[in-house]
Amino acid sequence: VEALKGQDCYLLVAPTRGINVWCAATGGILTENSVVIAIKTTGIGQLVEHRTLVLPQLSAAGIDCDEIKRRTGWSCIFGPVYAKDIPAYIEAKFRKSPSMQLTEFALGQRLEQAISPTVLLSLISLPVILLIDRSLTGPVLLAVWLVSLFHYIFIFRIPGQFAYQKGLFVGILSMIIYFSCLGFRGDASWKGYIFGGLGLILLSLLISLEVPSVSPLWRCFRSRLKETGLRNHSINIHLEKCNGCRRCLSVCPKGCFEVLNESKKANLLDERVCLKCRACIRQCHPEALEFARAG
Ligand code: SF4
Ligand code: SF4
């Protein structure tokens, strides 16, 4: 909202249940339905003469613009990833520079996402620790923060295909460290071992199931317990179907595509950086793109 100060425009708000745009779109919560409802219920059509919406680029994984056009008459274009670039984007006559369309799920952003669930878990843990063994308050709260931050920082590196496997891995690792610390102290009660150890595994499982909701690698809700992304998949381009429309270029947040001048066909530049967010596949109307299991 801050970025729009001084701009002659309206901000249309579509609900995402409090989830960020990228995950909500990838997880099927922010869809063309959300946008259609926002258009129809706000009366935006009476406030402006044009019929073009600028959508956040990261919503491309979940929104079918043709469906919005069919149901409302409004056209959609995908703007920059970050709202702070909107003024420059408008200034450039609605053209995105390459830097406006690239993003990364960087460490700072992951840590930012970690704060609220970790605070919540600390508050939930506190009365339980006080009931069981008040002398463990400090170590357990420290463990909550360490386990949580470990999950968010090493989200892409923790072994395991499924969320619960990652949770078990970190839980068992933290339990071993915790037991070693108790053994070193030498004065811990059996309650400290049993409740602390089981608590750490439970905590790690809870966090591992929560982390996917902040990562575009996993669709929120549906796949928390099942798949943890499509890392074993690669993108196939069916060149015979590609019409060179460049939509994949304009929505890919990692700059994976180019369109070759001679053939006017899409080409994958570097698939290793692909986040498997599905935006290109969703926006490729001739259905020239698909994920296929690698190997
Ligand atoms: S969106 Fe599909 S049809 Fe358009 S350039 Fe990309 S691959 Fe080709
Ligand atoms: S190439 Fe990968 S990162 Fe780029 S839009 Fe497609 S799925 Fe997302």
Side-chain angles (χ1 to χ4, degrees), residues 253-272:
K254 299 303 283 183
C256 292
F257 292 98
E258 63 176 349
V259 168
L260 299 172
N261 282 337
E262 319 80 59
S263 61
K264 301 277 181 286
K265 303 281 184 187
N267 181 44
L268 268 173
L269 282 169
D270 184 1
E271 202 187 346
R272 286 171 304 172

Side-chain angles (χ1 to χ4, degrees), residues 53-104:
L53 284 176
V54 178
L55 301 175
Q57 182 190 306
L58 296 183
S59 67
I63 290 179
D64 181 343
C65 293
D66 286 355
E67 183 65 9
I68 295 174
K69 176 85 174 170
R70 191 184 66 75
R71 289 166 64 185
T72 65
W74 284 74
S75 304
C76 299
I77 50 175
F78 291 101
V81 166
Y82 297 107
K84 66 178 171 54
D85 288 327
I86 291 175
Y89 172 69
I90 296 174
E91 182 80 24
K93 302 198 176 350
F94 301 94
R95 283 181 193 279
K96 281 190 278 189
S97 64
S99 67
M100 287 181 192
Q101 69 178 76
L102 297 181
T103 187
E104 53 183 30

Side-chain angles (χ1 to χ4, degrees), residues 112-291:
E112 199 181 307
Q113 298 279 5
I115 300 298
S116 55
T118 312
V119 169
L120 184 65
L121 282 168
S122 304
L123 292 175
I124 293 170
S125 314
L126 196 56
V128 182
I129 311 163
L130 291 176
L131 270 177
I132 295 170
D133 185 345
R134 137 187 326 255
S135 72
L136 293 173
T137 308
V140 174
L141 286 184
L142 184 65
V144 168
W145 278 86
L146 290 179
V147 171
S148 183
L149 292 180
F150 187 90
H151 270 288
Y152 281 89
I153 291 171
F154 298 106
I155 184 171
F156 303 127
R157 302 268 175 253
I158 300 170
Q161 185 187 356
F162 304 117
Y164 76 87
Q165 290 170 335
K166 288 170 182 286
L168 274 178
F169 176 85
V170 178
I172 291 169
L173 186 69
S174 52
M175 191 177 73
I176 293 170
I177 297 171
Y178 173 72
F179 282 177
S180 311
C181 294
L182 288 190
F184 187 69
R185 244 175 58 167
D187 62 345
S189 65
W190 63 269
K191 280 185 194 171
Y193 277 99
I194 292 180
F195 289 112
L198 289 177
L200 276 172
I201 290 186
L202 182 65
L203 171 77
S204 181
L205 279 170
L206 278 174
I207 295 170
S208 70
L209 298 180
E210 173 56 26
V211 173
S213 71
V214 300
S215 164
L217 282 180
W218 295 281
R219 283 176 294 174
C220 31
F221 300 123
R222 268 179 286 176
S223 56
R224 284 185 182 184
L225 276 172
K226 297 181 190 162
E227 57 167 323
T228 49
L230 293 156
R231 281 184 295 170
N232 296 329
H233 290 61
S234 58
I235 293 180
N236 265 358
I237 307 179
H238 296 283
L239 289 176
E240 72 285 0
K241 293 184 183 173
C242 174
N243 62 15
C245 69
R246 307 178 74 90
R247 284 192 194 205
C248 50
L249 266 77
S250 76
V251 298
C252 178
K254 299 303 283 183
C256 292
F257 292 98
E258 63 176 349
V259 168
L260 299 172
N261 282 337
E262 319 80 59
S263 61
K264 301 277 181 286
K265 303 281 184 187
N267 181 44
L268 268 173
L269 282 169
D270 184 1
E271 202 187 346
R272 286 171 304 172
V273 295
C274 170
L275 290 167
K276 312 293 188 286
C277 72
R278 304 171 174 85
C280 56
I281 292 176
R282 185 82 159 110
Q283 297 305 321
C284 178
H285 290 194
E287 302 195 351
L289 301 175
E290 65 174 7
F291 281 134

